[in-house]
Amino acid sequence: MNAIINSSSTMTLVRRLAMTGIGAVLLALTGCAAVAPNYQPTNDNVRTLQALPGGKVAVGQFTAKDKSLESLSIRAGSYNSPYNGSYAEYLKAALRAELEGSGKFDAASPVVVTGQLLENSLDGASFTTGTAKISARFVVTQSGAKTFDKVVAGASQWESSVIGMVAIPAARANYIDTIRKLLANLFADRDFQTALRAGSGIPSAVNPPVVTAVTNVRFTGAAAQPNVIPAVASRSVAAPAAVAGVALNSQLNSQPNLQPNSCQAPDYPRSSRQNEEQGVVGAKLTVGSNGHVLDIVLEKSSGFTALDKAAMQAWALCQFVPAMRDGAPVQSETRMQYVWKLDGVALQQQPAAAPVSKAASTSASAETWN
């Protein structure tokens, strides 16, 4: 009888040890939830920025093209951003840290960098090779006029391991390094450097980017302004400007249309909210054949510089379905309007032939920027 009891106890002990071993193996292979460290500037990026002759720069709004880009995981364990859980905000914080480290940051600068996170991937699951890739669209504006618009990417590849305690820290470290690489590529871009030089008034030895930026904000008469409606309108414009002898928006088969979810509503400026500033901003946008905004001209001011600037920075990141002529995408113009209200802000697309039917609202809908 004692032999049977001892045998049963032995089998129970063996099972427990086996389960403990399996648990240890699973723990070694997988990870748990973690938060990425706050970004720290690098010596190389700081030196690159310090070597540029341009003036100081402000950092504006950063958004993600898709909400899925805001989360990462490594071997079933989440890897979260320390900046409001947003990796778009992480990229913004990283850029600001590099600018502050080099003495190039000034929140009041008329030269503003905004961005949109387009790709954000981290693969630490492989037992042999880990990879990370991040890409973002960066836009530089000077007093509301766009001087730089380009997609920049950073990528990393490293030797991984079957052991989670080795592979997971390696993946985390290499992700941060990938952000540093992306910013290094941005700072080394000659068009980006040109945009910073332009902001300081220093002549540049390199060719400027091909954009039709304006150096001064221009106001037009009431006849050229869109109808005052409590929404943002995107409509066709009979523009006097000509391209190859043809009026910019004449003889088009279709007008430029704002792509849903391509840009986000601007944040209400803190100083404007504190001072209870509100109003309507209207502008004329030049849209390239690739759908990107090439130029913005302020036609109707809200009466407050901060509100005008925030709206124009948000529009600079928008992506349009370009106008078509004879089956080919062409450059064209459209008008946008934004209503700033302290009790809520609503943006609404107004297609070329559609009537205005919806008033401004604080509630989210398919027609509001998000």
Side-chain angles (χ1 to χ4, degrees):
M1 178 66 69
N2 289 336
I4 294 175
I5 294 175
N6 290 338
S7 176
S8 176
S9 300
T10 301
M11 291 301 295
T12 301
L13 180 60
V14 168
R15 290 193 188 97
R16 289 178 178 175
L17 290 174
M19 293 301 296
T20 302
I22 292 172
V25 170
L26 290 175
L27 185 61
L29 292 176
T30 61
C32 54
V35 176
N38 290 341
Y39 185 89
Q40 299 298 322
T42 64
N43 291 333
D44 289 344
N45 284 345
V46 166
R47 283 195 292 265
T48 298
L49 286 170
Q50 287 175 336
L52 298 181
K56 295 188 176 183
V57 181
V59 178
Q61 187 175 24
F62 273 63
T63 61
K65 184 178 181 180
D66 187 87
K67 290 183 179 179
S68 63
L69 300 176
E70 299 284 29
S71 59
L72 292 172
S73 63
I74 309 172
R75 297 196 179 183
S78 61
Y79 189 47
N80 303 315
S81 166
Y83 302 99
N84 300 318
S86 166
Y87 277 103
E89 289 291 324
Y90 197 108
L91 184 58
K92 174 182 178 178
L95 174 61
R96 175 168 177 163
E98 300 285 12
L99 290 168
E100 287 179 335
S102 63
K104 291 282 187 179
F105 178 77
D106 181 1
S109 172
V111 180
V112 182
V113 183
T114 55
Q116 184 179 44
L117 186 63
L118 302 178
E119 184 176 1
N120 188 36
S121 64
L122 175 60
D123 183 5
S126 172
F127 294 161
T128 57
T129 304
T131 60
K133 185 174 181 181
I134 309 167
S135 68
R137 179 184 172 200
F138 292 91
V139 174
V140 179
T141 58
Q142 180 183 354
S143 301
K146 185 185 295 187
T147 57
F148 176 83
D149 185 347
K150 189 175 290 188
V151 174
V152 182
S156 298
Q157 182 173 310
W158 62 93
E159 183 178 345
S160 188
S161 171
V162 68
I163 302 174
M165 289 182 290
V166 175
I168 294 172
R172 293 171 180 171
N174 278 280
Y175 177 80
I176 307 302
D177 189 55
T178 305
I179 292 181
R180 296 189 179 108
K181 290 178 180 178
L182 182 151
L183 293 177
N185 292 337
L186 174 67
F187 302 152
D189 188 283
R190 298 189 72 185
D191 289 343
F192 180 78
Q193 296 176 4
T194 299
L196 298 193
R197 290 191 186 97
S200 65
I202 300 174
S204 175
V206 299
N207 294 327
V210 182
V211 294
T212 56
V214 291
T215 55
N216 296 305
V217 173
R218 293 182 283 139
F219 292 85
T220 63
Q225 295 178 5
N227 295 327
V228 178
I229 56 174
V232 167
S234 173
R235 305 188 302 173
S236 60
V237 177
V243 176
V246 180
L248 200 58
N249 273 35
S250 68
Q251 302 176 358
L252 294 180
N253 303 123
S254 66
Q255 302 295 334
N257 287 308
L258 182 65
Q259 288 189 3
N261 304 320
S262 69
C263 48
Q264 294 190 352
D267 295 330
Y268 217 115
R270 182 179 301 176
S271 60
S272 297
R273 187 178 292 278
Q274 291 174 342
N275 295 328
E276 299 185 350
E277 297 172 354
Q278 52 187 357
V280 180
V281 183
K284 180 173 68 177
L285 280 63
T286 301
V287 179
S289 59
N290 61 356
H292 289 176
V293 178
L294 302 179
D295 187 33
I296 305 176
V297 178
L298 182 65
E299 293 183 328
K300 177 180 176 59
S301 173
S302 65
F304 303 99
T305 301
L307 297 182
D308 295 345
K309 184 177 179 181
M312 295 176 77
Q313 287 175 6
W315 285 329
L317 290 172
C318 289
Q319 179 74 27
F320 287 78
V321 177
M324 303 292 289
R325 182 189 293 127
D326 298 328
V330 294
Q331 181 174 313
S332 60
E333 291 179 342
T334 190
R335 280 191 168 89
M336 301 288 284
Q337 182 172 283
Y338 194 92
V339 178
W340 290 99
K341 294 178 62 179
L342 289 171
D343 59 350
V345 181
L347 278 80
Q348 177 179 296
Q349 180 183 359
Q350 177 62 38
V356 178
S357 60
K358 182 173 290 186
S361 169
T362 58
S363 61
S365 74
E367 294 184 63
T368 57
W369 267 355
N370 49 48

